[in-house]
Amino acid sequence: DQQVKQNSPSLSVQEGRISILNCDYTNSMFDYFLWYKKYPAEGPTFLISISSIKDKNEDGRFTVFLNKSAKHLSLHIVPSQPGDSAVYFCAASEGPGNQFYFGTGTSLTVIP
Amino acid sequence: NAGVTQTPKFRVLKTGQSMTLLCAQDMNHEYMYWYRQDPGMGLRLIHYSVGEGTTAKGEVPDGYNVSRLKKQNFLLGLESAAPSQTSVYFCASSYSLSSYEQYFGPGTRLTVT
């Protein structure tokens, strides 16, 4: 049973606009959350993280929001750039020493 | 500094054949992982290692074996390949099990006919 879900397989956004990628989880014990970005024929690369003690973490154009009561996190990219076109995976873990569970990914296309 | 490398990049096997996938990292990381990625399933952990000479099962270990004889290498073996093992395999490494960031290799696309 998928503990981390990304219900939107794909998303298209105009360059300069905001991209919002969503992720839901079912395990209330999850404590750490990550976003990875993946280009074709490459491995995923780490993008941004958040722990459950925070509800927001920002890094440049990328912001991750965590809503623990709704078991939901989202990644905001603003402004979106064509180079952001990739597959984005969210991942969650119960904390140190525990494995990460990955979502199925959302393919983002930023249209110039 | 090559990061994480995987050999081979592509492979086609017949049912029942065996093969070994090699992962190498040059970052002196203690922890290494093998994942598989299937359509609609995300990345799922097969096996992982917390140090040289140690291995542990992940979420989907059946049909696979692993070995970590050297700190920098993590091998994934398929003793008798099955069509259900057709997948893209990713190796990753991290400084520690609690490190947020895992560094991934480019992947191996395996097809079992």
Side-chain angles (χ1 to χ4, degrees):
Chain A
D1 190 27
Q2 197 80 13
Q3 297 191 59
V4 179
K5 299 177 184 179
Q6 294 176 258
N7 292 319
S8 298
S10 63
L11 175 68
S12 290
V13 171
Q14 287 290 132
E15 181 178 2
R17 297 292 191 102
I18 185 170
S19 295
I20 300 176
L21 294 90
N22 294 305
C23 180
D24 297 293
Y25 60 96
T26 56
N27 186 347
S28 59
M29 298 298 291
F30 284 150
D31 218 10
Y32 294 88
F33 305 87
L34 309 162
W35 284 93
Y36 280 87
K37 176 179 180 178
K38 184 185 178 304
Y39 292 117
E42 294 183 12
T45 55
F46 171 77
L47 192 57
I48 193 168
S49 66
I50 190 167
S51 71
S52 60
I53 61 172
K54 292 185 173 184
D55 54 17
K56 176 183 172 182
N57 189 25
E58 206 170 336
D59 184 2
R61 296 186 297 114
F62 302 91
T63 303
V64 56
F65 294 91
L66 175 62
N67 183 333
K68 291 186 286 293
S69 60
K71 296 192 185 71
H72 177 84
L73 67 157
S74 61
L75 174 68
H76 292 210
I77 307 172
V78 56
S80 300
Q81 299 174 353
D84 296 330
S85 297
V87 176
Y88 290 79
F89 292 96
C90 63
S93 166
E94 292 187 19
N98 292 283
Q99 71 169 81
F100 278 94
Y101 292 88
F102 285 78
T104 51
T106 296
S107 178
L108 173 66
T109 301
V110 180
I111 304 163
Chain B
N1 193 339
V4 180
T5 58
Q6 292 183 232
T7 309
K9 288 187 168 52
F10 304 94
R11 185 73 187 267
V12 178
L13 284 180
K14 294 188 175 171
T15 298
Q17 287 185 318
S18 63
M19 77 162 295
T20 301
L21 282 67
L22 171 64
C23 175
Q25 53 95 4
D26 60 3
M27 296 172 283
N28 202 33
H29 284 167
E30 290 292 335
Y31 295 80
M32 298 187 74
Y33 315 82
W34 275 107
Y35 291 90
R36 59 179 288 174
Q37 185 193 8
D38 302 295
M41 298 295 291
L43 284 89
R44 291 181 294 168
L45 183 65
I46 304 171
H47 285 280
Y48 64 98
S49 169
V50 302
E52 184 179 320
T54 70
T55 63
K57 294 180 181 179
E59 194 180 349
V60 288
D62 294 340
Y64 305 95
N65 57 75
V66 288
S67 64
R68 184 103 179 266
L69 299 179
K70 293 183 179 180
K71 185 176 184 179
Q72 63 268 35
N73 294 337
F74 195 28
L75 279 62
L76 178 71
L78 286 74
E79 290 185 348
S80 179
S84 61
Q85 294 177 304
T86 294
S87 188
V88 180
Y89 292 86
F90 289 100
C91 176
S93 70
S94 67
Y95 178 71
S96 73
L97 206 55
S98 58
S99 291
Y100 286 159
E101 186 172 358
Q102 294 182 11
Y103 294 80
F104 282 83
T108 294
R109 183 173 292 277
L110 175 67
T111 303
V112 183
T113 61

